[in-house]
């Protein structure tokens, strides 16, 4: 798609306040494919003003009408699915089939779920002699990451729209073209002017201005834990609502009696999808000592099949960071059984699918979020040992448990300090709440729990 040279504010494309631009780079060949404006505090202020002006009418719009607008947005995304996929592939580097199925397909599913929720949610209920109303929190400042550029936008914007909030979006600077395409879809869907606004720009400039703006009532951020802490501190100083979806170091726990080949294969696939650039990826594979050697062999074999099937990392900084973690794993004594730091291609930010064995829980690669196609296999002696290792990081976003039967897996999962666990290969559910324990975040996304983040309650007593 052709990049817009302005911001989408108040239902139209407006010239940016400044003249600086951001280069958009195709990570597969390292070539600049577009430029977008680098927003300033002035652009953010204009967008927040438009959102505030639009808020009273949108908040008063009946939920059924809001649902119809979200459904129309979903239909536009369906019609433009191939364009979405091509755009994500161009600026993120994900293989086109993955972009079409996941990067374009999942947001369509999520948007549809909120069209249904907006029409069915109980925005009013009787509690004794009180009537309790769920009302929109106000203007939302949404700051989204690059790794799932459309999904993360829809996971914030759709529930905010359903709640009756208005929005200012600041997308990641690596993937602004997808956000611009989304703004076009919003316009085409007939969502009223000012309800959704887009400002492209750098995090320390436009993102910070949005988080600090007095006209923003809630900041919804997805990204690193370090940045989340700063946003949380800023919001706390202003007594402002905040929702944070942050990092992860999820454990894939394989208990004795599980289908080992299936569990290992699924675990490798989970990490290699999106080139490992997934906060909820099961990057730690925990295997009982009696099955450890077999699991290592299976993992190495599975990883080798992804050599030509995963895309590049998003940028040069991320590429260098992942290679640094791989080298750190080697230096700390982990054993490479697949992949490594050698460049698999001469051009592009590619990293080989990498698997480490003989990883101990204290190693850097077992504690820190790598955000690349790297799996660490850790042995455990018994279930208590496995639980100690699984819970032994500052994160608690996601995970998986495999066992001979679901009941055994559930019993273990209930003791894990994490927000979402897949049991014996459980499928993605767009209505299930997603979010973390500990330093993986505050609040939830998706389903009714995600909608509730954008609502506040008022009770009237009779």
């Amino acid at each position: 798609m052709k990049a817009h040279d302005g911001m989408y504010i108040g239902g139209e494309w407006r010239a940016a306040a400044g003249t600086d631009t951001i280069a958009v780079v195709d990570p597969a060949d390292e070539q600049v494919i577009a430029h977008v404006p680098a927003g300033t505090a002035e652009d953010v202020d204009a967008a927040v003003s438009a959102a505030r002006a639009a808020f009273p009418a949108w908040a008063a719009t009946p939920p059924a009408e809001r649902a119809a607008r979200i459904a129309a947005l979903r239909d536009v995304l369906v019609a433009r699915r191939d364009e979405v996929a091509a755009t994500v592939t161009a600026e993120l580097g994900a293989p086109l089939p993955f972009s079409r199925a996941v990067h374009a397909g999942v947001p369509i599913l999520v948007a549809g779920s909120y069209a249904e929720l907006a029409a069915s949610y109980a925005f009013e209920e009787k509690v004794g002699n009180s009537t309790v109303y769920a009302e929109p929190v106000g203007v939302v400042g949404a700051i989204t990451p690059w790794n799932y550029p459309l999904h993360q936008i829809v996971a914030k914007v759709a529930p905010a729209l359903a709640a009756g909030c208005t929005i200012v979006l600041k997308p990641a600077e690596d993937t602004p073209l997808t956000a611009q395409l989304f703004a076009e879809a919003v316009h085409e869907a007939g969502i009223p002017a000012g309800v959704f606004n887009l400002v492209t720009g750098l995090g320390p400039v436009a993102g910070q201005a949005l988080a600090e703006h007095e006209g923003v009532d809630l900041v919804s951020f997805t990204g690193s834990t370090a940045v989340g802490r700063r946003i949380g501190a800023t919001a706390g100083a202003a007594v402002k609502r905040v929702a944070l979806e942050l990092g992860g170091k999820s454990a894939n726990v394989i208990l004795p009696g599980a289908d080992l080949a299936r569990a290992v294969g699924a675990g490798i696939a989970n990490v290699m999808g999106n080139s490992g650039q997934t906060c909820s990826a099961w990057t730690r594979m925990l295997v009982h000592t009696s099955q450890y050697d077999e699991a290592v062999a299976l993992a190495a074999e599975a990883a080798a099949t992804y050599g030509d099937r995963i895309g590049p990392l998003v940028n040069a900084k991320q590429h260098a960071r992942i290679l640094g973690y791989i080298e750190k794993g080697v230096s700390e004594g982990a054993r490479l059984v697949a992949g490594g730091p050698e460049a698999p291609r001469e051009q592009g930010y590619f990293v080989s699918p990498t698997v480490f064995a003989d990883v101990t829980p204290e190693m850097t690669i077992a504690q820190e979020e790598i955000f690349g196609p790297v799996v660490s296999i850790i042995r455990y002696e018994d279930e208590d040992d496995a639980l100690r290792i699984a819970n032994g990081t500052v994160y608690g976003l996601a995970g998986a448990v495999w066992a001979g039967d679901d009941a055994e897996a559930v019993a273990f999962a209930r003791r894990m300090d994490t927000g979402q666990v897949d049991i014996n290969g459980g499928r993605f559910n767009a209505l299930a709440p997603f979010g973390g324990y500990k330093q993986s975040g505050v609040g939830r996304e998706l389903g009714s729990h995600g909608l509730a983040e954008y609502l506040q309650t008022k009770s009237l007593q009779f």
Side-chain angles (χ1 to χ4, degrees):
M1 65 171 290
K2 181 181 179 181
H4 290 274
D5 58 4
M7 311 297 185
Y8 185 74
I9 298 175
E12 62 183 6
W13 292 96
R14 301 184 188 178
T19 58
D20 290 345
T21 62
I22 299 170
V24 183
V25 176
D26 183 338
D29 61 15
E30 305 176 49
Q31 300 301 305
V32 174
I33 58 175
H35 289 84
V36 299
T40 64
E42 186 177 346
D43 294 306
V44 169
D45 187 62
V48 173
S49 295
R52 291 230 70 89
F55 174 68
W58 183 247
T61 300
E65 293 184 27
R66 297 201 297 261
R69 290 302 96 210
I70 299 170
L73 175 60
R74 184 265 325 273
D75 292 344
V76 174
L77 294 177
V78 170
R80 301 183 70 172
R81 182 170 185 163
D82 289 342
E83 185 180 0
V84 168
T87 302
V88 173
T89 291
E91 61 182 356
L92 179 63
L96 191 57
F98 188 85
S99 289
R100 194 174 194 283
V102 177
H103 287 294
V106 172
I108 290 169
L109 182 66
V110 172
S113 74
Y114 278 112
E116 295 178 4
L117 271 170
S120 63
Y121 192 83
F123 290 96
E124 176 182 338
E125 65 173 333
K126 296 287 186 180
V127 181
N129 65 307
S130 301
T131 301
V132 180
Y133 298 90
E135 299 181 342
V137 70
V139 174
V140 174
I143 303 174
T144 57
W146 47 261
N147 60 325
Y148 288 90
L150 185 60
H151 168 63
Q152 293 291 350
I153 290 172
V154 171
K156 298 181 189 303
V157 172
L161 292 175
C165 296
T166 55
I167 305 107
V168 177
L169 169 67
K170 204 299 286 183
E173 49 263 37
D174 290 292
T175 54
L177 302 182
T178 301
Q180 289 189 342
L181 193 157
F182 179 78
E184 292 178 359
V186 165
H187 193 86
E188 189 175 341
I191 292 173
V195 171
F196 170 83
N197 306 272
L198 169 68
V199 175
T200 55
L202 301 175
V205 180
Q208 182 171 338
L210 184 59
E212 294 177 347
H213 201 289
E214 292 181 353
V216 172
D217 300 294
L218 181 151
V219 179
S220 180
F221 169 79
T222 297
S224 72
T225 297
V227 176
R229 288 194 193 99
R230 294 199 294 271
I231 289 176
T234 297
V239 195
K240 183 181 300 187
R241 291 269 296 272
V242 65
L244 304 173
E245 198 270 279
L246 307 175
K249 194 67 183 177
S250 301
N252 179 24
V253 182
I254 306 174
L255 298 176
D259 184 333
L260 185 65
R262 181 176 174 228
V264 171
I268 295 296
N270 175 274
V271 177
M272 298 309 157
N274 214 40
S275 302
Q277 299 170 131
T278 303
C279 54
S280 58
W282 311 332
T283 52
R284 295 181 298 146
M285 184 180 294
L286 278 56
V287 184
H288 189 266
T289 187
S290 65
Q291 298 178 302
Y292 190 81
D293 291 340
E294 183 182 359
V296 168
L298 288 168
E301 182 180 352
T305 68
Y306 285 88
D308 296 324
R309 295 163 56 193
I310 66 172
L313 301 174
V314 70
N315 57 37
K317 180 180 179 181
Q318 183 75 357
H319 184 252
R321 180 175 180 271
I322 303 316
L323 293 180
Y325 272 113
I326 294 174
E327 291 167 356
K328 185 73 170 178
V330 172
S331 70
E332 290 186 353
R335 174 167 55 99
L336 273 172
V337 296
E342 294 77 16
R345 304 190 191 185
E346 293 183 0
Q347 190 176 38
Y349 306 127
F350 292 88
V351 171
S352 296
T354 298
V355 177
F356 279 104
D358 301 339
V359 178
T360 61
E362 300 78 20
M363 288 182 180
T364 302
I365 59 172
Q367 287 292 318
E368 298 184 10
E369 184 176 43
I370 297 174
F371 225 60
V374 181
V375 177
S376 297
I377 309 181
I378 306 171
R379 72 172 73 235
Y380 67 86
E381 299 298 327
D382 54 32
E383 285 199 15
D384 287 341
D385 190 34
L387 185 68
R388 176 187 63 82
I389 296 169
N391 289 340
T393 75
V394 298
Y395 299 110
L397 187 56
V401 180
W402 304 80
D405 62 73
D406 287 352
E408 181 185 2
V410 167
F412 188 94
R414 288 298 305 272
R415 297 197 289 161
M416 294 173 70
D417 297 334
T418 193
Q420 190 172 87
V421 184
D422 291 351
I423 302 297
N424 283 330
R427 295 178 292 109
F428 172 74
N429 180 2
L431 297 177
F434 178 76
Y437 286 22
K438 300 187 286 187
Q439 293 187 28
S440 284
V442 176
R444 293 295 182 267
E445 292 186 329
L446 303 181
S448 60
H449 293 80
L451 175 57
E453 294 291 335
Y454 299 91
L455 295 167
Q456 54 192 350
T457 56
K458 175 185 293 180
S459 63
L460 304 182
Q461 283 61 249
F462 293 89

